[in-house]
Amino acid sequence: MTKISMYTMCLVIDDEKVLLINRPNDKGFPGYLGPGGKVDFPESPTEGAIREVLEETGLKISNLIYKGLDEYVDEINDERYMVFNYITYTFIGQPLDNPPEGELKWVDISKALELPMQGWFKERFPLFFEKGTFEKHVVWDDYEKKAMKEVVTRH
C-alpha cells in the first residue's frame, strides 16, 4: 500500500515583504524557507498550514490563498509526498522572539532569492507570486538519489 505524507507551506506577506525562517543545519533543510510542516490527522491541509505557521512564527493567519501542490513520487519505496502551498496577507500578532525552527526575518520579496536556500525552495518560491496555481510533479529515484522526471504545470 502506498505511503502518503501530507505537508504544507504558507508564505506570510506584508506589503512587499515575506516572512521566512532561516533554519540552522541541525534542524535539517538549512537556509531560508517558508513556514510549514506535516499535516496531522485528521486536519485538513488548510488547518495544518494555520497551525504550523502559528507554531513556527507565533502569527495567527487567516484568509489563506491556495497556490499549488508539490508532489514527490518515489516508486521504489512506494511513497507519495505532497506539499500544499498557500500565501496569506492576513495575520495578527508579532513574530516570536525565540522561534523553534530558526530565526524569523521579513525579507523583500524582490531580494529573497539572493538568500541561501534549498534548491527545491528556490525553484518553488517564484511560483507563489504568479497568477493562478501550480502543480509540481517529481518522480524520485531513490537508488540514484535524483529526480528522474520533473514537470511543473501552471493553471
Side-chain angles (χ1 to χ4, degrees):
M1 186 168 169
T2 303
K3 177 184 176 192
I4 299 173
S5 299
M6 295 171 46
Y7 292 82
T8 65
M9 180 171 284
C10 184
L11 299 186
V12 180
I13 301 167
D14 188 12
D15 291 322
E16 297 298 317
K17 295 188 181 283
V18 60
L19 186 61
L20 297 177
I21 301 169
N22 185 11
R23 286 175 61 101
N25 289 341
D26 65 328
K27 295 281 185 186
F29 301 112
Y32 287 86
L33 54 91
K38 191 166 176 66
V39 177
D40 293 337
F41 185 81
E43 289 178 318
S44 72
T46 301
E47 291 169 333
I50 291 168
R51 177 187 50 75
E52 284 287 344
V53 170
L54 180 62
E55 290 175 2
E56 293 183 0
T57 72
L59 300 178
K60 294 179 183 179
I61 61 172
S62 58
N63 300 320
L64 277 64
I65 300 166
Y66 178 73
K67 289 306 296 179
L69 174 69
D70 283 278
E71 173 179 56
Y72 301 86
V73 177
D74 178 350
E75 294 176 297
I76 294 167
N77 295 308
D78 198 25
E79 293 183 75
R80 182 179 300 260
Y81 180 101
M82 303 170 79
V83 182
F84 296 85
N85 297 284
Y86 303 89
I87 61 172
T88 186
Y89 298 88
T90 309
F91 63 91
I92 58 172
Q94 294 296 318
L96 296 170
D97 289 330
N98 295 303
E101 297 297 322
E103 172 195 12
L104 297 171
K105 184 174 183 178
W106 288 105
V107 177
D108 287 331
I109 294 168
S110 64
K111 296 183 180 180
L113 291 176
E114 297 170 13
L115 298 170
M117 315 178 156
Q118 297 284 311
W120 56 266
F121 184 59
K122 191 169 276 225
E123 291 171 8
R124 188 188 323 164
F125 185 81
L127 299 173
F128 283 91
F129 302 97
E130 292 181 4
K131 185 177 179 180
T133 60
F134 66 89
E135 180 180 324
K136 182 176 179 183
H137 178 78
V138 177
V139 177
W140 181 258
D141 185 321
D142 206 38
Y143 289 134
E144 298 289 327
K145 302 293 184 203
K146 67 178 186 177
M148 301 308 290
K149 174 184 172 186
E150 191 168 323
V151 177
V152 176
T153 306
R154 290 167 172 85
H155 303 280

